[in-house]
Amino acid sequence: MPGITLGDTVPNLEVETTHGKFKLHDHFADSWTVLFSHPGDFTPVCTTELGAMAKYAHEFEKRGVKLLGLSCDDVQSHKDWIKDIEAFALGSKVKYPIIADPNKEIIPQLNMIDPIENGPSRALHIVGPDSKIKLSFLYPSTTGRNMDEVLRALDSLLMASKHNNKIATPVNWKPHEPVVISPAVSDEEAKKMFPQGFKTADLPSKKGYLRHTEVS
């Protein structure tokens, strides 16, 4: 799929949003950001998703993470749509900005295109304070996002970053569960880095590569 992808720097576009104009890099500069796109305003799946983002906003705030939406209509349309979103979300307020892209010029620059429908997609990038993409999800128009999985993946990225990517999170990992130590870390290094100890799985290959440890 062409366009920016994992590890790439998001272009420093000036965007018009429901919170005014700003440059993307200025917005990303001091924290992680969840950037999520939608094909258009007043559409059923998107309305449920933005409502869920509003409900989950406190979870992102606890982690010091910003939310930034994008939809392919103008700012006034977004502001009108927000009334529906908040009504559906039963009192949760949309406090995050939503980028306007009525001419569909921003969407391709952010690689948020649905290759099947050849148009705007239901995409999500997690962007680091360095303005680089750390994780991307791309969903078809028929499938809404799972906000618990977005949070879980975000927690994994934050945990790995905190430990200089010397650890990784295994399948179905959730916060407070054991992590695995990177194969790039020797056992001697691991003993120094993880004084709490680690457990090496006894596997037929005897290669000792699967090591679990507890971190916070």
Side-chain angles (χ1 to χ4, degrees), residues 76-146:
Q76 187 56 54
S77 177
H78 290 353
K79 289 180 177 179
D80 293 339
W81 184 29
I82 284 172
K83 297 172 187 176
D84 282 5
I85 296 166
E86 291 180 343
F88 175 78
L90 301 177
S92 296
K93 298 297 182 181
V94 176
K95 297 180 180 179
Y96 52 83
I98 304 174
I99 298 170
D101 189 21
N103 297 320
K104 299 180 176 62
E105 296 172 342
I106 296 172
I107 280 277
Q109 294 185 73
L110 298 179
N111 196 18
M112 292 175 143
I113 293 292
D114 184 332
I116 297 173
E117 299 190 2
N118 195 30
S121 71
R122 200 181 311 289
L124 183 148
H125 298 321
I126 297 181
V127 183
D130 58 0
S131 299
K132 294 182 184 295
I133 296 176
K134 309 299 182 180
L135 180 147
S136 289
F137 290 124
L138 178 62
Y139 296 81
S141 61
T142 55
T143 302
R145 282 170 267 235
N146 183 308

Side-chain angles (χ1 to χ4, degrees), residues 110-187:
L110 298 179
N111 196 18
M112 292 175 143
I113 293 292
D114 184 332
I116 297 173
E117 299 190 2
N118 195 30
S121 71
R122 200 181 311 289
L124 183 148
H125 298 321
I126 297 181
V127 183
D130 58 0
S131 299
K132 294 182 184 295
I133 296 176
K134 309 299 182 180
L135 180 147
S136 289
F137 290 124
L138 178 62
Y139 296 81
S141 61
T142 55
T143 302
R145 282 170 267 235
N146 183 308
M147 296 305 163
D148 290 324
E149 173 58 13
V150 173
L151 269 180
R152 191 197 74 87
L154 175 63
D155 283 334
S156 170
L157 290 169
L158 294 174
M159 179 66 73
S161 177
K162 180 179 178 180
H163 293 277
N164 298 313
N165 293 323
K166 300 297 184 182
I167 60 97
T169 56
V171 63
N172 295 333
W173 175 88
K174 294 179 181 178
H176 311 300
E177 294 181 349
V179 299
V180 294
I181 300 171
S182 168
V185 177
S186 69
D187 281 351

Side-chain angles (χ1 to χ4, degrees), residues 58-76:
H58 68 285
E59 291 291 343
F60 294 99
E61 289 170 8
K62 283 195 307 187
R63 294 159 172 81
V65 175
K66 296 175 184 174
L67 296 175
L68 179 57
L70 188 160
S71 185
C72 292
D73 286 289
D74 61 34
V75 168
Q76 187 56 54

